[in-house]
Structures are given as C-alpha cells and as structure tokens.
Amino acid sequence: VSTTQTRIEKLAVRYPKFSDVRLQEEADGTVILRGSAPSEADAKLAENMIRLEPGVRRVRNELVYPPPGPERQ
C-alpha cells in the first residue's frame, strides 16, 4: 500500500465525507480519484488535497457528486 493511499485512508477517518473516495496511482505520478463526494466543492477539495501529496504530478478527478438542489426562495 502506497504512502498516498495510506494518507487518504487517514483523511477518510478524519473527514468522513471522503470515505467513498478511492484512488489509483499510475507509474508516472498521476493519481485518479474515483468514487463519490457529497458535493462538487468536496470533490474539488479532495483533488486539491491529493495534489499536495509528495510524488503526485497530476490528478484526474473522476469523482461523482449529486447535482445542486433547487435554490430556496
């Protein structure tokens, strides 16, 4: 298990909203995020957190999230 994977697992414990995020590491330093996030903002946050990991050169974010709900008037 890679260091990046281990750190993501620890983040999922600390931030339960990332518990459905899985990642795949490529040999060229690309990390692919898969799974689901509660919102678009959370998907972007997960991507940005991964970008800060040592050895990550590129992130491909394939996380899915529900569309925003209707605005309240």
Side-chain angles (χ1 to χ4, degrees), residues 6 18 22 26 30 32 35 42 52-53 57-58 62 65-66 69:
T6 302
F18 294 133
R22 297 177 316 279
E26 302 289 322
T30 299
I32 304 167
D42 289 323
L52 297 174
E53 291 297 317
R57 295 178 184 262
R58 201 176 107 195
E62 297 181 0
Y65 45 86

Side-chain angles (χ1 to χ4, degrees), residues 1-3 9-10 15 20-21 34-35 39 52 54 56 60 64:
V1 175
S2 74
T3 304
E9 290 169 0
K10 288 180 181 179
Y15 302 100
D20 291 331
V21 174
R34 293 192 172 112
S39 69
L52 297 174
V56 174
R60 196 165 81 209
V64 295

